[in-house]
Every structure is written in C-alpha cells, then in structure tokens.
C-alpha cells in the first residue's frame, strides 16, 4: 500500500451512527414505546368492557323495575274493577283476569287474587256462604281463633298450585301481615319480604313474595284511621321469585342473558335474604356491582356480576396484535440500523484502505463509499478497475473482473439488464449522472439488491472514455420495506388484502368505472354461525377455517377480481367490468355470488372434524364513482344483513330505501 499524500482527506473519528450501541439504544426506545402503546390499548379494552358491563347492568335493573311497575298496574286495574262494581262475582273476576293474558304479556306472575278481610265474629257465616257457592270443603286456615281474618277468596288461574291457597289467611303470617298493614295504612301497593308461598309443594321449592293493593269501601279514605275502618280486602299477586326473575332476566342457565349473572336479595345482600341467583359457582367474575331497586315500600339489593361468556366475548386480541406488530417492526428497524452500522464500518475500512492509495481511483474512493468500479462506456460494460467490495457482493475477487473474466453486465440480473443498459446509455448521451437500483447475482446463486450511481468521463471531443460508478448493497433495506408493506396491506392470517388495501383498490375501481362507463359490483360476505366454530373447536380451528375460506374465495372468482378480508369472518369481493348497465352487472354478480355460495357451503375438515360454514352475501352495484367507496361498503353490508335476516345462506341485493 502507498502512503497517504499530504492532500488526502483526514479520516474523521468514529461517529455515533458507526457504533452498535446506537442500534441497541434505538431498539430499547422502540420496545419501550411499543410496550407503552400495548398497555394503553389494553387499558382501553378493559375500560370498554367495564362500560359495557355497566350498560348491561343498567338495562337489567331497568327491566326489573319496569316489570314490577307493570305488575302494580295490573293490580291497579283489578282494584278499578272492584271500584266500578258494588260486588264483583267470581265469574267476573275470572273473565277480567283472563282478558289480561298475563302469561303472554307478563310471564313470571303466579296469579292474581283477591283476599277478603273477615272479622272474627263473622267467620262461620262467611265459610257457610262460600260453601253454598259450590265449595263444600272451603274453610279459612289456619283455624286458630283470631280477632280478624283474611281469606284468599278469588285467585286466578284457579288451578294447579293455586288451589292450595284457597281460603288461606295471609294475615296470620307476620311477614305478609306487615306488608298488608303497610298497604292498608298508605293506600298504595306494598311489597312483602321473602316468604314461602302456600302454593309450594315438596318439589322445586322457591323463595316467594307478594304485592298487595288495598280495597276500601267508599271514597273518604284520606287518613290512616279511615283507611283502617273502611278496608274491605286486598287485590294481590303472589310470585315465585325464580320463575319471575327468569321471565325478566332470561333463563338462569345463561341461554337468554349471557352478559351478566344476577343475585337478588331482600333488604340486604345476605344469604338468608336471597330471592334469586343465576351465579355460576365455579366462576370468579371480573366485574361486580350492586344496585338497589325500591318498590312497594321495600328495597331489593341486586348484585350483578360479569359472566364467563361476557368476559370471553370482551377478550380482544387487538392489544396483543399491537404488541406483536410493534415488536416485529422494532426488530426490523433495529436490523436495518444495525446492518447500516456494520455497512458504515465496512465502508470506513474500505475508505481507509483506499485513502492510502495514490492510483487513479483515489478521487472516487474519497467521495463515494461502496463497491467502486470503472468500466467501458458500452455494453457489456467491461470492467477496467474495481475494488474489493465486489467480493462481498458476488463472491468473486476483483482480479477476475479486471482480467476480463466477468463484465459488469454479467453480474446484473437478466430481468434488470435491459433497463440498466438503457439508463446508462441515456446518461452517456445526455452527459449526465445516472442512478439506478437493480439486482446482482453472486457466484453462489444469491441475489442482492444494489443502489448504483455514477457518471461517464468524456474526452475533449465529447466521446465517452469510461464510466465511473459505485454500488451499495441495499438488500436489507429492501427486505425491511417489503416487510413493512406486507404488514400495512396484507392480512397476516389469510394473506388476502386487508381493509386499507381494499379501500385503495375500490377507489381505483370506481374511477375506472367512471372512465370506462362499465359497471361493477361489491360482494359483502359474512360467515354464518362462525362463532360456533371457535366455541366448539377452538380459535386455531377457526383460523384454519378462515384460511380455507380465503382459498375457496380466490378460486371462486375471475382472474383480476379483488378478494379481501375486512376483519373477523367478513370478506369482500370487488368485481369490475360486469357490463354496460346495472342490470347486466346485477345478473353477472349474482352468478358469481351463487358460485361463491356453493363453494363456501361445501364441508371442510378441521382437526379431524367435519365443519360446514355457510355464507350470507350482500351485493351492491356501482356504475361510476357514485356513491363512493365508504357508502358502497355500507350498502353491501346492509344487503348482507338482509340476507341474514331472511334466513342466512343466501344472497341479497342492496335496494334503495
């Protein structure tokens, strides 16, 4: 090697970008940012879950409150029957209650009845009168002597369990008596505490309660004394708590209301006061809250807990996708920076070696890092001089190129060769610098992407003498760019275009339709009951089904049609050039949709199990750019839901409202 001349550029100290620590610092900062974003999205998911839980709680509490108020209105109407008639017969009472159709309108009610207050001195006469009506076994029970009796005189439906209550003196039992006295003194509906109804048998015994509404003689009932003096009896309704709560909240097994588990307590949340529970014993809920429901002068404590189904439904993978995607991108950026550091180090070593040389490459080496070369100004670009960087790029030593064994054109990938030759010849004719990116093949069959730039040197007559240039290996950078594009536009599971890619293609398709005046169609596809596949066979099986469905979709459409995954089990197919009119496009789109319907409906095997998934397909036609990509998606979505509402596994078209 030759000594560096006095005018050779000084070698600057190593900078931060030339140190490996810089790449590790950047990686640490990116990982910290990714972790922060993951925690942020996870916290947002938790907040959304809690808000949805509270929304379900408020809905359930409102449903219970509304149902109890509806029962009160039933009693108010029954009281109105007594107020409108001097005497209500048993037949009239039965017809009135039957006309309400409570089993359909307000399921959960055990019955509607009337209890008559009977002074102790009139008991025997009262029993004799009722027996004369055709009830020879009638008696007021329990039979112990009391100053005042109440007797259940009417109770509809008068059958089954309700027959056991006929003649029962509710006033003899303390909990019922307290509610009856409260109703009598206030003139309002009163709710009793927890009791066991006389209708109960030895099987399926449930907690019960009653609602009482007093009936008075006359209208002068404006104080407690007059109410007590003019009391005739009570219209009331008995309730089996479990049956009632099932009617309000759905099946306790969870088939109707799956978001919340419910416990209802009388007065306070104590096991002795439990009226109803739908709790799953082996499940520890994530969210629990208590709400009070005040009705009929009494307070219920309703404890709501999130169900296992709710927590499974609210479990989302978005935060983990953010974490995974962030880590992947962080590692790619780290790889690019770290590779750049190594590349810069390599270039510095090359610069140090070339700086000691006083040959004709000195100027080129001082100004341009990378694989530097000088070649003939015409194809096949015979190499005149080249540095040792070519060994790393091709595996061939520089001597083989200088000795004429390998021209520059030989190492350029055949597909890129015509383009590079045109670029270099154009730059020579224009006497301007050239710049290009192309692929280089090594002796081992490896392909590297390089960025080449340079310029031809001309003699006095303007003829090109040679071409000087430099090539930089950008393989890692191109790989990182390709990976980033893959993450941005391709669904990682099905390898189909994602929503972002679809919207871009859809806008292009609408523009093409507007230019060519040819109509197209958008098919919105949603798999029917796909959630059952995940619940029955697991999410890995669900992913396998989605992958198979995506392959079937690609084979069901024409070449050039766009198939994309919108998210979850929703897919989009964009069909272009279907006809000159909307009618032609509709006919062809329906034919393709029918083929998709048949292909997707064919059984498939996942994990040794036969699985059948059927699609619901919505079709929206476009001619030109109206109505736009977003509105077109909404129309196809609405058409898809029409297909689901019509019974699933069918096709529906968008129709203007």
């Amino acid at each position: 090697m030759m000594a560096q001349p006095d005018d050779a550029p000084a070698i600057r100290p190593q900078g931060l970008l030339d140190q490996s620590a810089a790449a590790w610092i950047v990686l640490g900062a990116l990982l910290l940012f990714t972790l922060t974003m993951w925690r942020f999205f996870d916290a947002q998911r938790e907040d959304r879950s809690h808000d949805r839980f509270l929304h379900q709680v408020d809905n359930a509490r409102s449903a219970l409150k509304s149902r109890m108020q509806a029962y009160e209105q039933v009693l108010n109407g029954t009281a109105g029957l007594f107020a409108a008639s001097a005497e209500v017969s048993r037949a009239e009472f039965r017809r009135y209650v039957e006309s309400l159709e409570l089993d359909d309108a307000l399921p959960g009610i055990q019955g509607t009845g009337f209890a008559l207050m009977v002074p102790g001195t009139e008991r025997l006469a009262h029993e004799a009168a009722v027996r004369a009506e055709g009830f020879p076994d009638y008696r007021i029970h329990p039979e112990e002597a009391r100053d005042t009796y109440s007797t259940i005189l009417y109770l509809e439906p008068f059958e089954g369990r309700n027959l056991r209550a006929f003649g029962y003196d509710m006033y003899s039992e303390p909990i019922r008596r307290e509610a009856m006295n409260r109703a009598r003194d206030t003139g309002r509906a009163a709710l009793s505490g927890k009791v066991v109804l006389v209708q109960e048998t030895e099987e399926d015994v449930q907690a019960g309660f009653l609602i009482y509404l007093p009936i008075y003689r006359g209208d002068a009932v404006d104080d407690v004394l007059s109410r007590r003096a003019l009391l005739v009896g009570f219209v009331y309704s008995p309730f089996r708590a479990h049956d009632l709560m099932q009617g309000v909240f759905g099946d306790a097994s969870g088939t109707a209301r799956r978001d919340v588990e419910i416990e209802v307590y009388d007065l306070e949340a104590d096991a002795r006061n439990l009226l109803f529970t739908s709790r799953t014993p082996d499940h520890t809920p994530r969210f629990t809250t208590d709400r009070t429901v005040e009705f009929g002068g009494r307070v219920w404590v309703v404890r709501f807990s999130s169900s296992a189904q709710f927590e499974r439904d609210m479990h989302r993978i978005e935060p983990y996708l953010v974490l995974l995607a962030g880590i992947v991108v962080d590692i790619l950026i780290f790889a690019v920076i770290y590779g750049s550091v190594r590349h810069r180090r390599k270039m510095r070593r090359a610069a140090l070696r070339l700086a000691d040389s006083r040959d004709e490459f000195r100027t080129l080496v001082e100004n341009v890092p990378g694989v530097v070369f000088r070649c003939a100004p015409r194809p096949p670009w015979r190499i005149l001089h080249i540095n040792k960087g070519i060994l790393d790029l091709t595996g061939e030593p520089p001597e083989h190129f200088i000795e004429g064994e390998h021209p520059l054109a030989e190492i350029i990938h055949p597909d890129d060769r015509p383009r590079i030759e045109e670029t270099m010849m154009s730059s020579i004719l224009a006497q301007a610098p050239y710049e290009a990116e192309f692929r280089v093949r090594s002796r081992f069959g490896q392909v590297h992407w390089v960025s080449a730039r340079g310029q031809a040197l001309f003699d006095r007559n303007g003829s090109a003498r040679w071409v000087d240039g430099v090539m930089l290996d950008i393989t890692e950078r191109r790989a990182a760019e390709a990976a980033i594009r893959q993450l941005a536009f391709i669904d990682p599971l099905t390898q189909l275009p994602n929503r972002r890619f679809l919207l871009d293609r859809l806008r292009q398709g609408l523009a093409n339709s507007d230019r060519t005046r040819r109509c197209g169609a958008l098919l919105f596809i949603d798999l029917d009951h796909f959630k059952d596949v995940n619940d029955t066979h697991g999410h890995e099986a669900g992913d396998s089904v989605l992958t198979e469905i995506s392959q079937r979709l690609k084979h069901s459409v024409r070449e050039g049609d766009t198939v994309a995954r919108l998210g979850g089990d929703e897919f989009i197919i964009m069909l272009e050039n279907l006809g000159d009119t909307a009618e032609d496009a509709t006919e062809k789109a329906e034919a393709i949709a029918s083929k998709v319907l048949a292909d997707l409906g064919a059984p498939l095997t996942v994990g040794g199990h036969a699985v059948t998934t059927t699609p619901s397909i919505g079709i929206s036609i476009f001619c030109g750019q109206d109505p736009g990509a977003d509105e077109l998606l909404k129309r196809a979505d609405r058409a898809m839901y029409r297909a689901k509402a019509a019974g699933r596994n069918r096709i529906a078209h968008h129709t203007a409202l």
Side-chain angles (χ1 to χ4, degrees), residues 29 128 131 238 261 327 350 495 578 593:
R131 290 169 183 166
E261 295 176 334
I327 291 175
Q495 297 302 305
L578 293 181

Side-chain angles (χ1 to χ4, degrees), residues 192-381:
S192 77
K194 176 182 177 182
V195 298
V196 176
L197 300 178
V198 294
Q199 286 94 330
E200 293 295 341
T201 63
E202 295 180 356
E203 298 180 356
D204 187 26
V205 178
Q206 300 181 18
F209 60 90
L210 305 100
I211 304 175
Y212 296 97
L213 188 67
I215 303 296
Y216 303 102
R217 292 187 301 272
D219 299 326
V221 285
D222 52 0
D223 56 42
V224 173
L225 293 179
S226 61
R227 292 186 184 111
R228 292 179 179 178
L230 298 175
L231 179 67
V232 174
F234 300 88
V235 288
Y236 80 101
S237 288
F239 297 89
R240 303 179 81 217
H242 196 272
D243 293 345
L244 168 66
M245 299 306 172
Q246 281 185 331
V248 177
F249 298 124
D251 189 353
S253 65
T255 58
R257 179 176 292 279
R258 308 181 70 177
D259 290 339
V260 292
E261 295 176 334
I262 300 167
E263 297 169 282
V264 181
Y265 297 90
D266 181 38
L267 297 180
E268 60 181 344
D270 186 278
R272 295 171 298 178
N273 299 335
L274 181 64
L275 291 171
F276 167 78
T277 180
S278 65
R279 282 287 303 275
T280 304
D282 56 351
H283 171 61
T284 301
R286 180 180 299 177
F287 305 121
T288 300
T289 187
D290 288 352
R291 294 287 191 271
T292 59
V293 175
E294 184 174 357
F295 176 77
R298 202 167 185 87
V299 175
W300 282 348
V301 176
V302 186
R303 177 162 294 169
F304 297 94
S305 304
S306 57
S307 66
Q309 180 65 43
F310 172 85
E311 292 166 9
R312 284 193 297 269
D313 290 345
M314 293 308 296
H315 180 72
R316 295 290 186 267
I317 65 171
E318 287 86 350
Y320 302 99
L321 290 178
V322 170
L323 179 63
L324 178 61
I327 291 175
V328 170
V329 173
D330 296 345
I331 293 175
L332 289 174
I333 294 175
F334 166 77
V336 171
I337 296 176
Y338 190 77
S340 176
V341 169
R342 295 185 60 187
H343 183 73
R344 289 173 64 88
R345 286 179 176 176
K346 187 184 296 184
M347 294 303 101
R348 285 185 62 83
R349 288 193 296 269
L352 288 171
R353 290 192 300 268
L354 293 173
D356 295 333
S357 178
R358 287 184 292 180
D359 60 17
E360 53 199 313
F361 282 107
R362 193 186 85 183
T363 302
L364 182 62
V365 171
E366 289 174 347
N367 291 279
V368 181
V371 179
V372 292
F373 63 91
R374 173 172 289 174
C375 66
R378 60 187 59 84
W381 318 106

Side-chain angles (χ1 to χ4, degrees), residues 384-590:
L384 304 178
H385 298 285
I386 198 166
N387 74 338
K388 294 182 179 180
I390 195 66
L391 179 63
D392 295 330
L393 193 62
T394 66
E396 296 281 354
E399 295 79 15
H400 289 183
F401 292 90
I402 296 175
E403 292 170 2
E405 294 184 17
H406 303 293
L408 182 63
E410 184 176 320
I411 67 172
I412 300 175
H413 194 282
D415 295 340
D416 297 340
R417 197 175 298 162
R419 174 173 56 85
I420 300 305
E421 289 182 359
E422 180 180 356
T423 299
M424 294 183 66
M425 291 303 299
S426 298
S427 70
I428 292 173
L429 293 175
Q431 296 189 7
Y434 70 89
E435 183 174 352
E437 291 184 1
F438 54 91
R439 290 166 289 178
V440 171
R441 297 186 303 180
S442 73
R443 63 182 294 184
F444 307 109
Q446 297 174 327
V447 176
H448 297 266
W449 274 95
V450 297
S451 174
R453 62 180 62 191
Q455 187 172 351
L457 183 66
F458 298 87
D459 59 17
R460 295 180 180 178
N461 299 322
S463 299
R465 297 180 59 190
W466 57 70
V467 176
D468 292 329
V470 61
M471 292 184 293
L472 298 177
D473 189 347
I474 60 171
T475 303
E476 292 182 353
R477 191 197 78 190
R478 292 291 293 252
E481 291 173 351
I484 291 173
R485 285 195 300 271
Q486 182 79 1
L487 289 172
F489 296 104
I490 301 299
D491 175 57
L493 175 64
T494 63
Q495 297 302 305
L496 292 177
N498 60 14
R499 184 186 184 93
R500 179 182 297 178
F501 187 91
L502 169 68
L503 289 174
D504 182 66
R505 289 294 302 273
L506 184 54
R507 293 186 180 98
Q508 292 180 17
L510 293 176
N512 292 337
S513 175
D514 188 60
R515 185 179 66 256
T516 63
R517 312 312 300 171
R518 298 275 292 174
C519 296
L522 201 66
L523 274 58
F524 198 115
I525 302 168
D526 185 274
L527 301 183
D528 300 327
H529 305 297
F530 177 75
K531 184 176 179 299
D532 294 342
V533 176
N534 286 331
D535 291 345
T536 304
H537 304 290
H539 289 281
E540 291 184 0
D543 291 346
S544 299
V545 170
L546 291 177
T547 302
E548 174 62 22
I549 290 298
S550 66
Q551 295 300 318
R552 293 186 180 185
L553 286 175
K554 288 192 287 188
H555 289 93
S556 298
V557 299
R558 307 168 304 173
E559 183 177 357
D561 293 334
T562 299
V563 180
R565 183 186 179 196
L566 197 61
D569 57 340
E570 295 178 341
F571 297 84
I572 296 293
I573 298 177
M574 186 181 75
L575 307 172
E576 297 184 75
N577 296 320
L578 293 181
D580 295 327
T581 66
E583 290 76 14
D584 292 340
T586 299
E587 181 179 353
K588 293 180 180 179
E590 185 159 5

